[in-house]
């Protein structure tokens, strides 16, 4: 079997096993079989998408990723969010963490946005986020411009405003004194309002800047957490330097404006914590020489890409 095809199967099985193990551990320690079904579903959605991505031809691979995005995005937002009324927004994470409730949003953040980043980097952003599930259907997947300098600071401001809002609710409205029903309803309201705001701002910003992922680059607060672990992630993008014809297609089509060729010329994998693991570069490369590799590499320079050198 060709090495690249073999890697596709290994990656697909690894993803499935990762979530299966988490599901079994939580089922046995928390005593709810829901955890097993929940993580089995996510593992199957992730591994099937990865498998499709690997076996589909160049240019069509992206449908493997989109399938995973839709399966996980609809489940997280529709079933866990709207039906089960779990607030998976960052405010929900802060609220549950303060309340010492280690389920729902806290588990989600610890697994997808903190612990999981050490293995898969920001693959959540590329493959599973429900906001991205929508904005990736907008027509500006290939950004028209480089990154706007300093706009990324907005995500840090957003992060601290979200935290401040929760602390305000916590001390001003004594959330802990609410009964279980009111506590859930409050969280559900924050989820609805938060998502309406996220989708509205994300779509407007994408349309103004002609860049689907503008919200991810500048406004969303989640990367503030995810960037920490993803710097050390084992799975990262790598280019086979000797076979590159320097056509530049990978950089031009990267939705996050990553300087792939700079990393390649420095004999490095893509170390940028802005990489969302979407593998659009893999999908587009005419030489089929970009892939996810699994290694431990830290301590090198992380290049950012601003307007002047895009
Ligand atoms: S940056 Fe935010 S909105 Fe964008 S994909 Fe990641 S979590 Fe979703
Ligand atoms: S798309 Fe492939 S061949 Fe072209 S520059 Fe990127 S890595 Fe090199
Ligand atoms: S470097 Fe590749 S995987 Fe990373 S964000 Fe850019 S296109 Fe996606």
């Amino acid at each position: 079997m060709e090495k690249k095809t073999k890697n596709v199967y290994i990656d697909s099985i690894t993803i499935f096993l990762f979530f299966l193990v988490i599901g079994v551990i939580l089922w046995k320690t928390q005593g709810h079989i829901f955890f097993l079904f929940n993580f089995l579903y996510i593992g199957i959605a992730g591994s099937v998408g990865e498998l499709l991505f690997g076996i589909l031809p160049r240019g069509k691979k992206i449908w493997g990723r989109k399938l995973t995005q839709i399966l996980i995005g609809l489940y997280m937002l529709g079933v866990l969010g709207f039906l089960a009324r779990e607030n998976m927004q960052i405010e929900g994470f802060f609220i549950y963490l303060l309340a010492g409730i280690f389920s729902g949003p806290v588990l989600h953040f610890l697994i997808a946005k903190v612990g999981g980043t050490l293995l898969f980097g920001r693959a959540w952003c590329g493959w599973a986020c429900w906001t991205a599930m929508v904005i990736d259907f907008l027509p500006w997947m290939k950004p028209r411009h480089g990154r706007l300098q300093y706009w990324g600071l907005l995500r840090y401001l957003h992060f601290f405003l979200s935290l401040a809002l929760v602390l305000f609710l916590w001390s001003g409205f004594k959330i802990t004194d609410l009964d279980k029903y009111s506590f859930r309803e409050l969280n559900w309201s924050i989820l609805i309002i938060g998502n309406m705001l996220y989708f509205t701002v994300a779509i407007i910003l994408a349309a103004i800047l002609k860049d689907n992922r503008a919200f991810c680059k500048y406004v969303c607060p989640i990367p503030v957490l995810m960037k920490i672990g993803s710097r050390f992630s084992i799975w990262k993008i790598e280019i086979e330097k000797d076979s590159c014809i320097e056509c530049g297609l990978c950089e031009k089509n990267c939705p996050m404006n990553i300087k792939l060729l700079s990393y390649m010329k420095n004999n490095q994998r893509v170390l940028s914590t802005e990489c969302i693991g979407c593998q659009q570069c893999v999908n587009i490369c005419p030489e089929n020489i970009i892939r996810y590799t699994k290694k431990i590499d830290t301590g090198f320079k992380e290049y950012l890409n601003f307007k002047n050198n895009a």
Side-chain angles (χ1 to χ4, degrees):
M1 194 188 295
E2 196 197 337
K3 194 179 169 199
K4 281 175 184 164
T5 315
K6 199 172 156 189
N7 282 341
V8 168
Y9 291 120
I10 292 172
D11 288 352
S12 180
I13 291 168
T14 306
I15 290 166
F16 176 74
L17 289 178
F18 173 79
F19 288 105
L20 177 66
V21 168
I22 291 177
V24 171
I25 291 173
L26 288 173
W27 169 34
K28 292 294 174 191
T29 54
Q30 306 290 314
H32 298 296
I33 197 157
F34 162 77
F35 287 113
L36 182 63
F37 290 126
N38 179 71
F39 286 100
L40 258 182
Y41 176 83
I42 291 172
I44 291 169
S47 58
V48 168
E50 175 66 20
L51 187 65
L52 268 183
F53 188 97
I55 58 180
L56 283 172
R58 177 176 169 255
K60 303 247 183 297
K61 290 179 176 295
I62 225 63
W63 288 102
R65 181 176 73 84
K66 281 193 183 288
L67 177 72
T68 301
Q69 246 182 343
I70 291 167
L71 287 175
I72 299 182
L74 287 181
Y75 172 67
M76 300 286 291
L77 185 63
V79 179
L80 298 186
F82 290 155
L83 294 182
R85 303 200 165 198
E86 291 280 17
N87 183 3
M88 299 290 182
Q89 297 281 106
I90 195 162
E91 293 82 11
F93 169 60
F94 290 145
I95 290 172
Y96 274 65
L97 199 61
L98 278 171
I101 305 170
F102 283 90
S103 67
V106 173
L107 282 176
H108 165 62
F109 267 75
L110 290 183
I111 293 166
K113 290 155 180 173
V114 180
T117 58
L118 293 170
L119 193 58
F120 303 120
R122 284 178 61 189
W124 163 266
C125 294
W127 288 71
C129 170
W130 57 83
T131 311
M133 169 185 76
V134 172
I135 56 179
D136 271 358
F137 277 103
L138 296 174
W140 307 287
M141 198 61 199
K142 182 175 157 182
R144 303 281 163 90
H145 314 282
R147 282 191 170 231
L148 301 171
Q149 201 162 8
Y150 305 124
W151 279 44
L153 293 175
L154 285 172
R155 58 165 63 137
Y156 295 93
L157 181 65
H158 188 171
F159 183 90
F160 287 109
L161 283 178
S162 292
L163 185 58
L165 171 71
V166 170
L167 291 174
F168 172 73
L169 288 172
W170 190 262
S171 53
F173 289 88
K174 305 270 182 247
I175 301 179
T176 36
D177 294 345
L178 294 176
D179 59 58
K180 206 174 168 186
Y181 175 78
S182 308
F183 183 77
R184 258 179 119 73
E185 289 303 295
L186 175 72
N187 266 297
W188 200 62
S189 310
I190 295 173
L191 174 81
I192 301 280
I193 295 167
N195 271 287
M196 279 168 54
L197 281 173
Y198 273 35
F199 282 122
T200 307
V201 174
I203 291 169
I204 291 174
L205 209 55
I208 291 173
L209 297 176
K210 304 280 181 280
D211 181 351
N212 282 5
R213 291 291 187 147
F215 182 77
C216 303
K217 290 173 194 169
Y218 308 126
V219 182
C220 179
I222 314 288
V224 175
L225 285 177
M226 298 188 80
K227 282 165 76 70
I228 301 165
S230 62
R231 181 65 184 80
F232 305 97
S233 77
I234 291 173
W235 288 25
K236 286 190 179 85
I237 291 290
E238 183 169 12
I239 301 175
E240 283 170 32
K241 186 178 180 183
D242 295 341
S243 309
C244 179
I245 56 172
E246 299 201 27
C247 64
L249 278 175
C250 51
E251 285 198 359
K252 282 188 198 123
N253 285 276
C254 172
M256 299 300 283
N257 307 92
I258 307 290
K259 296 167 86 172
L260 286 106
L261 299 184
S262 301
Y263 288 109
M264 180 192 76
K265 285 171 187 165
N266 281 287
N267 297 312
Q268 293 169 349
R269 300 194 296 161
V270 171
L271 300 173
S272 173
T273 53
E274 292 298 304
C275 175
I276 54 172
C278 65
Q279 301 191 55
Q280 179 64 3
C281 50
V282 179
N283 181 46
I284 212 80
C285 176
E287 301 299 304
N288 193 19
I289 52 168
I290 310 179
R291 63 188 198 284
Y292 249 140
T293 56
K294 296 167 258 327
K295 295 177 194 166
I296 294 174
D297 54 4
T298 56
F300 298 110
K301 186 174 177 186
E302 176 182 339
Y303 297 102
L304 292 175
N305 195 346
F306 293 120
K307 193 174 184 181
N308 294 338
N309 51 14

